[in-house]
Amino acid sequence: MVKKPSALPRSLLSLRRLLRRSISGRHHRRTATPARAAAPAAGPPQEKLKGRTVVLDVEGWLMRSPLSGFPYFMLVAVEAGGFLRGLLLLLMHPALCLLALLGLDDLRLKVMAMVTLFGLREKEVARISKAVLPKFFLEDVAMEGLEAFHDKKATVVAVTSTFPRVMVQGFLEEYIGVDAVVGREVAAVAGRYVGFLEEEHAGMERVGALLKEMEGTRSEGDGAVGLVGAASTVHHVVSRYCKETYVLSEADKRAWQPLPRDKYPTKLIFHDGRLAFRPTFSAALAMYAYLPWGILVAAFRCLAFGVLPYRLSVPLAAATGMRSRLVAGPPSPPDATAAQKNQPSGGPGRLYVCNHRTLLDPITVAAGLNKPVTAVTYSVSPVSELLAPIRTARLTRDRGEDRRRMAALLARGDLVVCPEGTTCREPYLLRFSPLFAELTAEVTPVALDTSVDMFYGTSTKPGAKWLDPFYFMMNSRPEYRVEFLEPVATAPAVEGEDGGSEHGHGHSIQAANRVQRVLGEALGFELTGKTRKDKYMMLAGNEGVVAGGAKK
């Protein structure tokens, strides 16, 4: 006798079907769930977004919670307006908190925009948006939020309510790859912002107009898909224009993880700006409290390295918190026969090839050697050359002339070159210029790495580059790590190899790549084909050449 199944399971199945139908009508409202083994990212399935338009809530979906706009406004205020403007915004923070407590979030945003942007050039703020802010925005991106729509072959329209459009456009278009950015505009006159932020509804109305323009690129009847946060202020706008809306709860969002560096849609190789930390209210307050002392400490350190011998200046700098780590000492000098063989000119000099972290690199190498060296430079300010405690020689960017100058300098003593041609803050090595490999049959690679806690000692702004060493010295605990590696042969394996060009230009490229690889392995840095020109065109919109020509 076969026993009939109980009616209770059927009723439960019917109830589940009823609930499923109630939440999956023409307008979908779905709460995203945290990542699981079977579903690496919350959100709609891939087939839901293929070939469609996605309206993305930047703060509610893409960024991790909680997201405060104050640090980003502080970054723009300091980097584009200066430390005095940043101090004014910091002093306004209690009033901004009071407005938030009273529920006047829109007024709070307008006050921050006025204090931050008033009088600034539109081009400079756009540059900051592209060169400075992306580093900090990427640290706030949620991995699951990005994976929900990235690489789904969808047209993405990003909508922001916390920031003016100009502050997020560079980050969203260059590093996330969205197709359009919609946000509130700031009034400008004659290329400068007057600080007035338009009303929120004016910016949100552009979402509908933009989607209407994009209808021609979608299949008929598809409609847009919205990705929003449950507490987002743009929820009603996204729901109004989207056929389907996926809503992310605050509880689920808190479980999302930060985006790892190796999963950035676009590699963060170059970025600009002086601040090396996220300027929250407490961190910015600590920086301004430290700033007077930092200026005095930096002046003392610069004076010590400029006047005293290295055996005294290095311990004095260490007493103020500056750390220098010599991982491996310089290799023993070759005998006279080897020196004669390695140097075509027959001189006593040795060629040290290092990666480029700050303008202090040659000085640090000289301190590790405990003897004077000569550093060759391309575009460095005259003030930096005047203040340098070691001898500097400027090159001309004419290959033949530069080779003759470097050979003459090498014949008179040790020479330090940075073939990257520009500094790089991130763990990457730029393409090496091969000229150094034509000067000698053997070079000594020097692996350099730096650590700062408050200020970056590099900049792309021509008027401020002479301050780069001073900013590095202003950090409370700056650190230089120096490692002298084993010499690397740069001579052709066979006599006369690649002949016909000046010392074998084809071989010099291979030798430069070999030295780059040795330094990359020692530092754990990734090798790239990026050049100095790539950096300056991206961050400053120029080739980074300091006017004034070469020194004779």
Side-chain angles (χ1 to χ4, degrees), residues 1-57:
M1 183 175 179
V2 180
K3 186 177 180 181
K4 293 183 178 180
S6 172
L8 182 59
R10 289 186 178 181
S11 63
L12 291 176
L13 289 173
S14 301
L15 179 60
R16 187 171 65 179
R17 293 193 189 100
L18 179 62
L19 291 174
R20 189 175 291 172
R21 285 196 297 269
S22 67
I23 64 174
S24 59
R26 181 180 179 185
H27 176 72
H28 293 270
R29 288 176 55 87
R30 171 174 163 181
T31 301
T33 56
R36 297 177 182 174
Q46 182 172 351
E47 60 272 11
K48 283 280 187 180
L49 302 184
K50 189 175 182 179
R52 300 176 69 176
T53 299
V54 175
V55 181
L56 173 68
D57 174 13

Coordinates of all heavy atoms in Angstrom, one line a residue, residues 1-57:
M1 N 0.9 -1.2 0.0 CA 0.0 0.0 0.0 C 0.9 1.2 0.0 O 1.7 1.4 0.8 CB -0.9 0.0 1.2 CG -1.9 1.2 1.2 SD -3.0 1.1 2.6 CE -4.0 2.5 2.4
V2 N 0.6 2.1 -1.0 CA 1.4 3.3 -1.1 C 0.8 4.5 -0.3 O -0.3 4.8 -0.4 CB 1.6 3.7 -2.6 CG1 2.4 5.0 -2.7 CG2 2.1 2.6 -3.4
K3 N 1.7 5.0 0.5 CA 1.2 6.1 1.4 C 1.2 7.4 0.6 O 2.1 7.8 -0.1 CB 2.1 6.3 2.6 CG 1.6 7.3 3.6 CD 2.5 7.3 4.8 CE 2.0 8.3 5.8 NZ 2.9 8.3 7.0
K4 N 0.0 8.2 0.7 CA -0.1 9.4 0.0 C 0.8 10.5 0.7 O 0.9 10.5 1.9 CB -1.5 9.9 0.0 CG -2.4 9.0 -0.8 CD -3.9 9.6 -0.9 CE -4.8 8.7 -1.7 NZ -6.2 9.2 -1.8
P5 N 1.3 11.4 -0.1 CA 2.1 12.5 0.5 C 1.3 13.4 1.3 O 0.1 13.6 1.0 CB 2.8 13.2 -0.8 CG 1.8 12.8 -1.9 CD 1.3 11.5 -1.6
S6 N 1.9 14.0 2.3 CA 1.1 14.9 3.1 C 0.8 16.2 2.4 O 1.5 16.6 1.5 CB 2.0 15.3 4.4 OG 1.4 16.3 5.1
A7 N -0.3 16.8 2.8 CA -0.8 18.0 2.1 C 0.1 19.2 2.6 O 0.1 20.3 1.9 CB -2.3 18.3 2.4
L8 N 0.7 19.1 3.7 CA 1.5 20.2 4.2 C 2.6 20.7 3.3 O 2.8 21.9 3.0 CB 2.1 19.9 5.6 CG 2.9 21.0 6.3 CD1 2.0 22.2 6.5 CD2 3.4 20.5 7.7
P9 N 3.4 19.8 2.8 CA 4.5 20.2 1.8 C 3.9 20.9 0.6 O 4.5 21.9 0.1 CB 5.2 18.9 1.5 CG 5.0 18.0 2.6 CD 3.6 18.3 3.1
R10 N 2.8 20.4 0.1 CA 2.2 21.1 -1.1 C 1.8 22.5 -0.8 O 2.0 23.4 -1.6 CB 1.0 20.3 -1.6 CG 1.3 19.0 -2.2 CD 0.1 18.3 -2.8 NE 0.4 17.1 -3.5 CZ -0.5 16.3 -4.1 NH1 -1.8 16.7 -4.1 NH2 -0.1 15.2 -4.7
S11 N 1.2 22.7 0.4 CA 0.8 24.1 0.8 C 2.0 25.0 0.9 O 2.0 26.2 0.5 CB 0.0 24.1 2.1 OG 0.9 23.6 3.1
L12 N 3.1 24.4 1.4 CA 4.3 25.3 1.5 C 4.9 25.6 0.2 O 5.3 26.7 -0.1 CB 5.4 24.5 2.3 CG 5.1 24.3 3.8 CD1 6.2 23.5 4.5 CD2 5.0 25.7 4.5
L13 N 4.8 24.6 -0.8 CA 5.3 24.9 -2.1 C 4.4 25.9 -2.8 O 4.9 26.8 -3.5 CB 5.3 23.6 -3.0 CG 6.3 22.6 -2.6 CD1 6.1 21.3 -3.4 CD2 7.7 23.1 -2.9
S14 N 3.1 25.9 -2.6 CA 2.2 26.9 -3.2 C 2.5 28.3 -2.6 O 2.5 29.3 -3.4 CB 0.7 26.5 -2.9 OG 0.5 25.2 -3.5
L15 N 2.7 28.3 -1.3 CA 3.0 29.6 -0.7 C 4.3 30.2 -1.2 O 4.5 31.4 -1.5 CB 3.1 29.4 0.8 CG 3.5 30.7 1.6 CD1 2.5 31.8 1.4 CD2 3.7 30.4 3.1
R16 N 5.3 29.3 -1.5 CA 6.6 29.8 -2.0 C 6.4 30.3 -3.4 O 7.0 31.3 -3.8 CB 7.7 28.6 -2.0 CG 9.1 29.1 -2.4 CD 10.1 28.0 -2.1 NE 9.9 26.9 -3.0 CZ 10.6 25.8 -3.0 NH1 11.7 25.7 -2.2 NH2 10.4 24.8 -3.8
R17 N 5.6 29.6 -4.2 CA 5.4 30.1 -5.6 C 4.7 31.4 -5.6 O 5.0 32.3 -6.4 CB 4.6 29.1 -6.4 CG 5.3 27.7 -6.7 CD 4.5 26.9 -7.7 NE 5.0 25.6 -7.8 CZ 4.5 24.5 -7.2 NH1 3.4 24.6 -6.4 NH2 5.1 23.3 -7.4
L18 N 3.7 31.6 -4.7 CA 3.0 32.9 -4.6 C 3.9 34.0 -4.2 O 3.9 35.1 -4.8 CB 1.9 32.7 -3.5 CG 1.0 34.0 -3.3 CD1 0.3 34.4 -4.6 CD2 0.0 33.8 -2.2
L19 N 4.8 33.7 -3.3 CA 5.8 34.8 -2.9 C 6.7 35.1 -4.0 O 7.1 36.3 -4.2 CB 6.6 34.3 -1.6 CG 5.8 34.2 -0.3 CD1 6.7 33.6 0.8 CD2 5.3 35.6 0.1
R20 N 7.1 34.1 -4.8 CA 8.1 34.3 -5.9 C 7.4 35.1 -6.9 O 8.0 36.0 -7.5 CB 8.5 32.9 -6.4 CG 9.6 33.0 -7.4 CD 10.1 31.6 -7.8 NE 10.7 30.9 -6.7 CZ 11.1 29.7 -6.8 NH1 10.8 28.9 -7.8 NH2 11.7 29.1 -5.7
R21 N 6.1 34.9 -7.2 CA 5.4 35.7 -8.2 C 5.2 37.1 -7.8 O 5.3 38.0 -8.6 CB 4.1 35.0 -8.6 CG 4.1 33.8 -9.4 CD 2.8 33.5 -10.0 NE 1.8 33.2 -9.0 CZ 1.6 31.9 -8.5 NH1 2.2 30.9 -9.0 NH2 0.7 31.7 -7.6
S22 N 5.1 37.3 -6.5 CA 4.8 38.6 -6.0 C 6.0 39.5 -6.0 O 5.9 40.8 -6.0 CB 4.3 38.6 -4.5 OG 5.3 38.1 -3.7
I23 N 7.2 39.0 -6.1 CA 8.4 39.8 -6.1 C 9.1 39.8 -7.4 O 10.2 40.3 -7.6 CB 9.4 39.3 -5.0 CG1 9.9 37.9 -5.3 CG2 8.9 39.5 -3.6 CD1 11.0 37.4 -4.4
S24 N 8.5 39.1 -8.4 CA 9.2 39.0 -9.7 C 8.2 39.4 -10.9 O 8.1 38.8 -11.9 CB 9.7 37.6 -10.0 OG 8.6 36.7 -9.9
G25 N 7.5 40.6 -10.7 CA 6.7 41.1 -11.7 C 7.5 41.9 -12.7 O 8.6 41.7 -12.9
R26 N 6.7 42.8 -13.4 CA 7.4 43.6 -14.4 C 8.5 44.5 -13.7 O 9.5 44.8 -14.3 CB 6.3 44.5 -15.1 CG 6.9 45.4 -16.2 CD 5.9 46.2 -16.8 NE 6.5 47.0 -17.9 CZ 5.8 47.9 -18.6 NH1 4.5 48.1 -18.4 NH2 6.4 48.7 -19.5
H27 N 8.2 45.1 -12.6 CA 9.2 45.9 -11.9 C 9.8 45.1 -10.7 O 9.1 44.7 -9.8 CB 8.6 47.1 -11.3 CG 9.5 48.0 -10.5 ND1 10.5 48.7 -11.1 CD2 9.6 48.2 -9.2 CE1 11.2 49.3 -10.1 NE2 10.6 49.0 -9.0
H28 N 11.0 44.7 -10.8 CA 11.7 43.8 -9.8 C 12.3 44.6 -8.7 O 13.1 45.5 -9.0 CB 12.8 42.9 -10.5 CG 12.2 41.9 -11.5 ND1 11.8 40.7 -11.2 CD2 11.9 42.1 -12.8 CE1 11.4 40.0 -12.2 NE2 11.4 40.9 -13.2
R29 N 12.1 44.2 -7.5 CA 12.8 44.8 -6.4 C 13.5 43.6 -5.7 O 12.8 42.8 -5.0 CB 11.9 45.5 -5.4 CG 11.4 46.8 -5.9 CD 10.4 47.4 -5.0 NE 11.0 47.6 -3.6 CZ 11.7 48.6 -3.3 NH1 11.9 49.6 -4.1 NH2 12.2 48.7 -2.1
R30 N 14.8 43.5 -5.8 CA 15.5 42.4 -5.2 C 16.6 42.8 -4.3 O 17.4 43.7 -4.6 CB 16.1 41.6 -6.4 CG 17.0 40.5 -6.0 CD 17.4 39.7 -7.2 NE 18.6 38.9 -6.9 CZ 19.2 38.1 -7.7 NH1 18.7 37.9 -9.0 NH2 20.3 37.4 -7.4
T31 N 16.7 42.2 -3.2 CA 17.8 42.5 -2.2 C 19.0 41.6 -2.5 O 18.9 40.4 -2.5 CB 17.3 42.3 -0.8 OG1 16.2 43.1 -0.5 CG2 18.4 42.6 0.2
A32 N 20.1 42.3 -2.8 CA 21.3 41.5 -3.1 C 21.8 40.8 -1.9 O 21.7 41.3 -0.8 CB 22.4 42.5 -3.7
T33 N 22.4 39.7 -2.1 CA 22.9 38.9 -1.0 C 24.4 38.8 -1.0 O 25.0 39.1 -2.1 CB 22.4 37.4 -1.1 OG1 22.7 36.9 -2.3 CG2 20.9 37.4 -0.9
P34 N 25.1 38.6 0.1 CA 26.5 38.5 0.1 C 27.0 37.4 -0.8 O 26.3 36.5 -1.2 CB 26.9 38.2 1.6 CG 25.6 38.6 2.3 CD 24.5 38.4 1.4
A35 N 28.3 37.5 -1.2 CA 28.9 36.6 -2.1 C 28.9 35.2 -1.5 O 29.2 35.0 -0.3 CB 30.4 37.0 -2.4
R36 N 28.6 34.2 -2.3 CA 28.7 32.8 -1.9 C 29.6 32.0 -2.9 O 30.0 32.5 -3.9 CB 27.3 32.2 -1.9 CG 26.4 32.8 -0.9 CD 25.0 32.2 -1.0 NE 24.0 32.9 -0.1 CZ 22.7 32.6 -0.1 NH1 22.2 31.8 -0.9 NH2 21.9 33.3 0.8
A37 N 29.8 30.8 -2.6 CA 30.7 30.0 -3.4 C 30.1 29.8 -4.8 O 30.8 29.9 -5.8 CB 30.9 28.6 -2.8
A38 N 28.8 29.7 -4.9 CA 28.2 29.5 -6.2 C 27.9 30.8 -7.0 O 27.7 30.8 -8.2 CB 26.9 28.8 -6.1
A39 N 27.9 31.9 -6.3 CA 27.7 33.2 -6.9 C 28.7 34.2 -6.4 O 28.6 34.7 -5.3 CB 26.3 33.7 -6.5
P40 N 29.7 34.5 -7.1 CA 30.8 35.3 -6.7 C 30.5 36.7 -6.4 O 31.2 37.4 -5.8 CB 31.9 35.2 -7.8 CG 31.1 34.8 -9.0 CD 30.0 34.0 -8.5
A41 N 29.4 37.2 -7.0 CA 29.0 38.6 -6.8 C 27.5 38.7 -6.7 O 26.8 38.0 -7.5 CB 29.5 39.5 -7.9
A42 N 27.0 39.5 -5.8 CA 25.5 39.7 -5.7 C 25.1 40.6 -6.9 O 25.8 41.4 -7.4 CB 25.2 40.4 -4.4
G43 N 23.7 40.5 -7.2 CA 23.2 41.3 -8.2 C 22.5 40.4 -9.3 O 22.4 39.2 -9.1
P44 N 22.1 41.0 -10.4 CA 21.4 40.3 -11.4 C 22.3 39.3 -12.1 O 23.5 39.5 -12.2 CB 20.9 41.4 -12.4 CG 21.9 42.5 -12.1 CD 22.3 42.5 -10.7
P45 N 21.8 38.2 -12.7 CA 22.6 37.3 -13.5 C 23.2 38.0 -14.7 O 22.7 39.0 -15.1 CB 21.6 36.2 -13.9 CG 20.4 36.4 -12.9 CD 20.4 37.8 -12.6
Q46 N 24.2 37.4 -15.2 CA 24.9 38.0 -16.3 C 24.0 38.2 -17.5 O 24.1 39.3 -18.2 CB 26.1 37.2 -16.7 CG 27.0 37.8 -17.9 CD 28.2 37.0 -18.1 OE1 28.6 36.2 -17.4 NE2 28.9 37.4 -19.2
E47 N 23.1 37.3 -17.8 CA 22.3 37.4 -19.0 C 21.3 38.5 -18.8 O 20.7 39.0 -19.8 CB 21.5 36.1 -19.2 CG 20.6 35.6 -18.1 CD 21.3 34.8 -17.1 OE1 22.6 34.7 -17.1 OE2 20.7 34.2 -16.2
K48 N 21.0 39.0 -17.6 CA 20.1 40.1 -17.4 C 20.7 41.4 -17.9 O 19.9 42.3 -18.2 CB 19.8 40.2 -15.9 CG 18.8 39.2 -15.4 CD 17.4 39.6 -15.7 CE 16.4 38.7 -15.0 NZ 15.0 39.0 -15.4
L49 N 22.0 41.6 -17.9 CA 22.6 42.8 -18.2 C 23.2 42.9 -19.6 O 23.5 43.9 -20.1 CB 23.7 43.1 -17.2 CG 23.3 43.2 -15.7 CD1 24.5 43.6 -14.9 CD2 22.2 44.2 -15.5
K50 N 23.3 41.7 -20.2 CA 24.0 41.7 -21.5 C 23.3 42.5 -22.6 O 22.1 42.3 -22.8 CB 24.1 40.2 -22.0 CG 25.0 40.1 -23.3 CD 25.1 38.6 -23.6 CE 26.1 38.5 -24.8 NZ 26.3 37.0 -25.2
G51 N 24.0 43.5 -23.1 CA 23.4 44.4 -24.1 C 22.4 45.4 -23.6 O 21.8 46.1 -24.4
R52 N 22.3 45.6 -22.3 CA 21.3 46.5 -21.8 C 22.0 47.7 -21.1 O 23.3 47.7 -21.0 CB 20.4 45.8 -20.8 CG 19.6 44.7 -21.4 CD 18.8 43.9 -20.4 NE 17.7 44.7 -19.9 CZ 16.8 44.2 -19.0 NH1 16.9 42.9 -18.6 NH2 15.8 44.9 -18.6
T53 N 21.2 48.6 -20.7 CA 21.8 49.8 -20.0 C 21.6 49.6 -18.5 O 20.5 49.3 -18.0 CB 21.0 51.1 -20.4 OG1 21.3 51.3 -21.8 CG2 21.6 52.3 -19.7
V54 N 22.7 49.8 -17.7 CA 22.7 49.7 -16.3 C 22.8 51.1 -15.7 O 23.7 51.9 -16.0 CB 23.8 48.8 -15.8 CG1 23.9 48.8 -14.3 CG2 23.7 47.4 -16.3
V55 N 21.8 51.5 -14.8 CA 21.9 52.7 -14.1 C 22.5 52.4 -12.7 O 21.8 51.7 -11.9 CB 20.5 53.4 -13.9 CG1 20.6 54.7 -13.2 CG2 19.9 53.6 -15.3
L56 N 23.7 52.9 -12.4 CA 24.4 52.5 -11.2 C 24.4 53.6 -10.2 O 24.8 54.7 -10.5 CB 25.9 52.2 -11.6 CG 26.9 51.9 -10.5 CD1 26.6 50.6 -9.8 CD2 28.3 51.9 -11.0
D57 N 24.0 53.2 -9.0 CA 24.0 54.2 -7.9 C 25.4 54.1 -7.3 O 25.8 53.1 -6.7 CB 23.0 53.7 -6.8 CG 23.1 54.5 -5.5 OD1 23.8 55.6 -5.5 OD2 22.4 54.1 -4.6

